[in-house]
Amino acid sequence: MSASHPFAGDPVFDLHVGGKMEVRATVALGGADDLSLAYTPGVARVCEAIAEDPSMTQHYTWVPNTVAVVTDGTAVLGLGDIGPAAAMPVMEGKAVLFKQFGGVDGVPICLATTDVEEIIETVVRLAPSFGGINLEDISAPRCFEIEDRLKELLDIPVFHDDQHGTAVVALAALKNALTLTGRNPESTRVVISGAGAAGVAIAKILLEAGIKDLAVTDRKGVVHSGRNDLTPVKRELADLTADRTGRTGTLADALAGADVYMGVSGGTVPEEDVARMAPDAIIFAMANPTPEVHPDVAHRHARVVATGRSDFPNQINNVLAFPGIFRGAFDAHATSITEGMKLAAAEAIAGLVGDALTEEYVIPSPFDPRVGPAVAAAVADAARRDGVARR
């Protein structure tokens, strides 16, 4: 490794020299015979077979095991709108995680546009090269329309990980936290702070999982239809959540007596508001790098505490979900990723904790080797049940 780069000696920059990934051939080219099979003239026969039957790409190309990791650089980690070039190290990292934890080949694609129509058109034009599309770090509310439109236009899985990966893992941890505290979903009161990509997706998956009393808050308080400042996405969210229980007011109002707090918003929740939650409360403060409720504070008032950080117990980490979800979708040659597939992924992740369930262990480690295969198997089965599998 060259020591001449500008930040030589910094271990983070040293690791990133030349990027974190490369493309390698899976076949040997030892001579003319190998070349004639891998390239001309032999490859022409494979091309003709695919031209006659495009489904042959599933057997004779890397397409069915390859996902495009697509961003416009507008919502990168906790850094915000830093642009497509600066987003590349994160997209490379995501591709490495796909390979390490799911055996899926990821290709980072950073787009030099933030226009919704241009992003959609570009991804649609690129789609024949990929078995799936993983949208990443695209700001809300644009991300919702982009994902929805691409799902309509493409017959391959489209998945916005900032939404659904977070939601799957949060649900998995919540399932075990509810079991530990003796609660059932139907009678559990949940408050989510943050009505962006992750907050909306968490709300929707919790409703699918049986939560009835749910309030989502943004900077102006509970998202409900009595407000006159709601986007179309928030209007739909209000109808699905607070409108059904009549909840209004501030985050502090919503937290009074609540069983569960889930933070995907940043900022800080005052300790006096946390203290008003129900006994044996559950707090998932998932903002990075600074949780909305510091674990030391949360533990004074809650029985189960989780964060998005790796240096505290119970890390809500998307890597528990997205590699296995795409692995399972690819194994089933699924045309889409359904709500049933997401719920199955959450159930599989939660189930791995088993009898080892404690306050400090409601979610498996990202390095638990059982996670990827368990999620993949559950997702593939769900794809077949939901009628979206082609094998």
Side-chain angles (χ1 to χ4, degrees), residues 154-172:
L154 300 176
D155 64 350
I156 57 175
V158 177
F159 186 81
H160 184 204
D161 186 53
D162 303 308
Q163 292 184 60
H164 310 299
T166 305
V168 165
V169 181
L171 174 59

Side-chain angles (χ1 to χ4, degrees), residues 184-203:
N184 62 68
E186 291 77 13
S187 59
T188 295
R189 187 151 82 80
V190 179
V191 176
I192 299 171
S193 68
V200 171
I202 291 171

Side-chain angles (χ1 to χ4, degrees), residues 20 65 132 144 170 183 188 217 282 300 329 334 369 373 375:
K20 297 189 292 282
N65 196 57
F144 302 116
R183 292 179 166 97
T188 295
T217 68
I282 298 165
R300 291 200 282 269
V375 172

Side-chain angles (χ1 to χ4, degrees), residues 201-286:
I202 291 171
K204 289 183 175 180
I205 203 170
L206 293 187
L207 294 169
E208 290 281 346
I211 296 290
K212 304 294 185 187
D213 192 339
L214 175 58
V216 181
T217 68
D218 61 10
R219 291 181 179 86
K220 297 186 179 180
V222 173
V223 176
H224 63 88
S225 291
R227 288 171 45 178
N228 60 9
D229 61 344
L230 300 183
T231 64
V233 170
K234 288 184 181 180
R235 280 198 295 273
E236 179 192 7
L237 188 62
D239 180 63
L240 294 171
T241 59
D243 288 0
R244 301 193 175 189
T245 55
R247 299 203 181 278
T248 60
T250 64
L251 172 61
D253 296 330
L255 281 176
D259 299 295
V260 180
Y261 167 77
M262 290 190 166
V264 283
S265 61
T268 300
V269 180
E271 183 169 359
E272 57 265 30
D273 297 343
V274 177
R276 298 171 66 200
M277 293 180 68
D280 281 348
I282 298 165
I283 294 177
F284 292 179
M286 295 177 275

